[in-house]
Amino acid sequence: MTGSRVVAIMTVLAFLAPAVFAEETIRVSGTGAAVGGMKLLGEAFGKKHPGVTVVVYPSLGSAGGIKAVAAGKLDLAVSARRVKEEEKVPGLVEKPYAKSPYIFATSSSNPASGLRLAEIRDIYAGKITTWPDGRMISLVLRPAHDAFTGFLENLSPEMKDAVASSKKRPGMFIGGTDQDAADQIERTPGSFGMTSYSLVASEKRNIKPLAVDGIPPAGKDGINEKYPYFMTLSLVYVKDRTAAAIGNFIHFIASKEGETILRMNGQIPIGKAQSQP
Amino acid sequence: MSGADKSSVEKRRHDYPIVRLLGIIGWTATVLIAAAIPAFYYTFAIRSERQALQIETAYTAKEIQKIVFASPELWEFETVRLLEIVSKRTVEDDEDERAIFNATGKIVIETKSKVPAESIASTAPLFASGFPAGYVQAKRSIRDILWGTAFAGILGLIFGLLNILFFNSFPRRLLKEALTRLSAEKEKTEKTLSSIGDGVMTVDREGRIAYMNPVAEMCTGWRSDEALGRNFKDYYVTRGESERTENEGHAPCTLVSRNGEQRTIEEVWSPIKDKNSVEEGHVIAFRDVTEKRNLERQLQQMQKLESLGVLAGGIAHD
């Protein structure tokens, strides 16, 4: 090959390279219960699709993620609740892709393994203040408008009253995000609070899920589907704005590899997601 | 005191300038007290509330600033955390309203509670690495302060009325009564002096006429309103005076009236001294003895003629 041909080929490649090796970014965020799993899915997807980077932002919460997608600041949001009517914009798509247990948890150092629902209610009401071993219960609360608080309030009117009374006690810790709450549960001996099994598993947290009324959320074989409290995780995106890379990522989540990653990280895949947005 | 005197005294009771002045001062003080108490309360209460709100707003902004710092592009979407921060308040929900605005002035999040129009507001900015990212605005109702001001106004009115009662019932009333008694005494003295048959004048230490009774007016030919405050020598013109001694009668002299009429008078000069025996002026009392002198001269004349008659009768007999 003559030198001039080499130069010509190199020149052509230099013009084509940006098109061929264009860097695409998929911006993702949402509920803290799912961002850990999204990071793992994003890494795996990135390995298969060089040139596409899945950037998972810190948790914005379900509401924040939906709002950011509607505003065009995110490409994909993950939500632990249904999209509300007032949050919908033209073309907004909500696609459940997995479910994961709501768990009542404590630090790994706590010997307690489970509680009855009535005891959980009394802990929030302030009637039970110590663990069986005498250590003080450090209750970790969630924000008033959080999906976990909403879940608790919907369990029963008595639970709703108990949660309301817990917020009035002075000096209570309120975890602003899922990660903040998980941090506090993880590092505080005698802690008690709500989080998600998907977060604990995907972020490898030193947190012990507690059985409720004798039913544990997970065991050696994975998630216990007899456990009564599950959250549904959904992908939220705007159809008309979705680029091909995003569609590919959504397809990847529903693929066998994606489902395997989900199962290994505290989530049960829900059927197949549509490959095309 | 007669009925006429009483009504005169009553009339005078309301005419004293000093008492009127004291009344004006009393009412002025009342108005000031009634206005000052609520004004002070409102000023200090609003100032205190405003300062508290500024501190709370700054603290709220500081909490939000952490979120802005951690996520400068997406902080506006941290709905749950932002709502949790702005919902932390030190007052009841219906007394406070908070909102977060982004850099373009669009509302990011706001509390559901709305305060009434009577409110104060405070804002604190938000920055992302030194660039404006938005601001926090807090509004607080001041209805409680307005109610408190109204209550303070009622207290002010009560204290003001107590002030008026105090001024009317004690110093002012005492002053009124003292002035009334003084006025009555003065009137009595004036009537006494007006009733006597001698002329009476008082002059101060500079010789200015302070008082003339009607007899003095008639004898000198000058009305008291024309002569008061003027030098007595211009209005009490005498000739043939002997040396004046205190409290002693003088040899008669001639008083020349305004129209040139001459009268023979006997005058007595008496000093007016204060409690320290310092001379403050004189009282001049004089009596018109013109008729008396004329009669004396006539009597003397008759006596002379009588003596001559006796002598003539004796010679004729001889």
Side-chain angles (χ1 to χ4, degrees):
Chain A
M1 194 182 281
T2 62
S4 59
R5 279 189 188 173
V6 169
V7 169
I9 291 168
M10 291 296 287
T11 306
V12 169
L13 283 174
F15 277 108
L16 288 176
V20 171
F21 298 109
E23 191 71 25
E24 278 188 82
T25 304
I26 302 173
R27 301 164 300 174
V28 184
S29 186
T31 176
V35 289
M38 279 292 142
K39 277 183 190 169
L40 297 169
L41 287 164
E43 285 166 7
F45 179 79
K47 285 176 186 169
K48 284 185 169 298
H49 298 84
V52 179
T53 306
V54 177
V55 176
V56 180
Y57 290 100
S59 163
L60 294 175
S62 299
I66 294 166
K67 205 172 161 187
V69 161
K73 293 286 188 178
L74 288 179
D75 301 306
L76 195 63
V78 278
S79 172
R81 59 162 176 80
R82 300 300 303 271
V83 175
K84 296 175 186 172
E85 278 307 311
E86 59 267 25
E87 292 173 325
K88 289 180 181 174
V89 295
L92 194 79
V93 177
E94 180 184 5
K95 194 175 296 299
Y97 72 97
K99 59 180 185 176
S100 183
Y102 281 109
I103 60 170
F104 296 93
T106 183
S107 64
S108 295
S109 62
N110 193 341
S113 60
L115 293 163
R116 286 180 288 113
L117 194 62
E119 289 173 323
I120 293 171
R121 183 196 62 217
D122 288 344
I123 288 173
Y124 279 98
K127 294 177 184 174
I128 295 177
T129 57
T130 58
W131 294 102
D133 64 357
R135 191 160 27 180
M136 197 176 99
I137 296 174
S138 297
L139 184 57
V140 177
L141 299 176
R142 304 302 299 263
H145 306 279
D146 187 81
F148 288 88
T149 303
F151 160 76
L152 273 174
E153 290 174 346
N154 286 332
L155 282 178
S156 67
E158 293 80 14
M159 184 65 83
K160 186 176 180 180
D161 291 341
V163 170
S165 73
S166 69
K167 289 193 180 298
K168 291 177 185 170
R169 303 209 296 265
M172 299 301 290
F173 179 86
I174 300 176
T177 63
D178 295 339
Q179 277 66 32
D180 287 344
D183 289 344
Q184 197 67 18
I185 294 169
E186 191 174 27
R187 65 170 170 248
T188 307
S191 62
F192 176 78
M194 280 211 74
T195 185
S196 60
Y197 188 66
S198 54
L199 183 152
V200 174
S202 62
E203 297 182 13
K204 308 287 185 278
R205 294 287 194 148
N206 216 8
I207 289 174
K208 179 194 287 186
L210 295 168
V212 179
D213 291 330
I215 304 172
K220 289 178 187 175
D221 299 327
I223 294 170
N224 180 2
E225 297 204 37
K226 290 182 184 172
Y227 183 74
Y229 311 117
F230 276 85
M231 67 172 70
T232 301
L233 298 171
S234 303
L235 299 173
V236 180
Y237 54 92
V238 176
K239 193 172 178 180
D240 297 335
R241 286 194 228 134
T242 307
I246 299 167
N248 291 339
F249 182 54
I250 293 171
H251 178 71
F252 175 78
I253 293 170
S255 68
K256 274 192 180 170
E257 187 179 352
E259 287 187 355
T260 303
I261 293 172
L262 290 173
R263 286 185 197 282
M264 287 171 63
N265 289 282
Q267 294 162 68
I268 298 175
I270 299 175
K272 283 188 179 294
Q274 289 183 0
S275 59
Q276 295 298 323
Chain B
M1 196 183 281
S2 68
D5 290 340
K6 276 185 186 169
S7 64
S8 170
V9 166
E10 277 297 324
K11 182 175 177 297
R12 283 179 190 251
R13 183 170 287 177
H14 298 289
D15 288 350
Y16 304 127
I18 185 71
V19 174
R20 265 205 306 279
L21 180 64
L22 209 57
I24 291 169
I25 292 171
W27 276 107
T28 304
T30 294
V31 169
L32 284 174
I33 289 168
I37 290 179
F40 273 121
Y41 171 82
Y42 180 82
T43 303
F44 287 109
I46 281 286
R47 189 175 162 192
S48 171
E49 194 70 34
R50 205 182 293 278
Q51 283 176 343
L53 189 62
Q54 281 171 352
I55 291 169
E56 280 187 43
T57 311
Y59 180 77
T60 301
K62 195 175 170 189
E63 291 291 296
I64 296 167
Q65 192 65 61
K66 294 177 190 172
I67 299 174
V68 175
F69 180 77
S71 183
E73 297 97 358
L74 297 174
W75 71 270
E76 297 176 37
F77 305 104
E78 295 260 17
T79 310
V80 172
R81 290 172 78 187
L82 292 174
L83 199 54
E84 186 70 19
I85 291 171
V86 296
S87 298
K88 286 182 195 170
R89 285 167 283 184
T90 57
V91 296
E92 297 296 324
D93 285 356
D94 60 353
E95 294 176 21
D96 190 288
E97 181 186 317
R98 307 264 170 120
I100 304 172
F101 296 81
N102 65 9
T104 62
K106 189 180 160 192
I107 283 188
V108 171
I109 205 152
E110 60 181 342
T111 53
K112 286 181 184 171
S113 57
K114 295 291 173 196
V115 295
E118 309 86 21
S119 60
I120 51 173
S122 175
T123 58
L126 299 168
F127 295 95
S129 297
F131 294 96
Y135 60 94
V136 179
Q137 183 183 74
K139 288 185 186 175
R140 182 154 298 167
S141 169
I142 57 168
R143 272 202 178 157
D144 283 350
I145 292 177
L146 292 175
W147 278 115
T149 304
F151 181 68
I154 292 169
L155 273 180
L157 275 174
I158 292 171
F159 280 115
L161 286 171
L162 285 174
N163 174 68
I164 270 292
L165 288 172
F166 177 77
F167 265 94
N168 274 344
S169 66
F170 292 111
R172 200 160 167 233
R173 186 176 295 168
L174 290 175
L175 185 63
K176 265 189 199 173
E177 286 174 0
L179 287 173
T180 303
R181 278 199 297 274
L182 191 65
S183 178
E185 286 298 321
K186 186 182 171 196
E187 203 169 325
K188 195 174 167 185
T189 304
E190 281 177 357
K191 280 188 177 169
T192 304
L193 289 173
S194 299
S195 304
I196 61 176
D198 292 344
V200 177
M201 286 173 58
T202 57
V203 297
D204 61 19
R205 83 179 75 165
E206 280 79 33
R208 292 182 296 234
I209 298 171
Y211 174 75
M212 288 174 72
N213 73 346
V215 173
E217 287 179 331
M218 186 197 69
C219 291
T220 60
W222 293 98
R223 297 196 311 272
S224 59
D225 60 316
E226 290 174 314
L228 283 179
R230 309 289 180 100
N231 194 291
F232 81 97
K233 289 181 183 173
D234 297 330
Y235 298 84
Y236 183 71
V237 179
T238 56
R239 289 187 196 142
E241 300 155 355
S242 61
E243 186 180 340
R244 292 193 175 111
T245 52
E246 286 186 357
N247 295 326
E248 289 183 8
H250 300 158
C253 60
T254 304
L255 173 66
V256 183
S257 74
R258 184 179 187 176
N259 58 4
E261 189 181 340
Q262 295 183 10
R263 285 187 169 83
T264 305
I265 61 169
E266 289 174 351
E267 60 177 10
V268 176
W269 283 64
S270 304
I272 302 171
K273 292 184 182 178
D274 64 17
K275 61 182 179 181
N276 295 320
S277 300
V278 175
E279 195 171 288
E280 290 185 330
H282 282 88
V283 177
I284 307 169
F286 61 90
R287 181 172 294 171
D288 185 354
V289 295
T290 309
E291 278 299 313
K292 180 184 166 189
R293 288 287 176 180
N294 286 342
L295 284 172
E296 283 176 353
R297 271 200 292 276
Q298 281 179 8
L299 188 62
Q300 279 180 355
Q301 194 72 16
M302 282 174 67
Q303 283 175 344
K304 273 187 189 171
L305 286 173
E306 192 179 4
S307 301
L308 284 173
V310 169
L311 184 63
I315 292 174
H317 188 266
D318 289 343

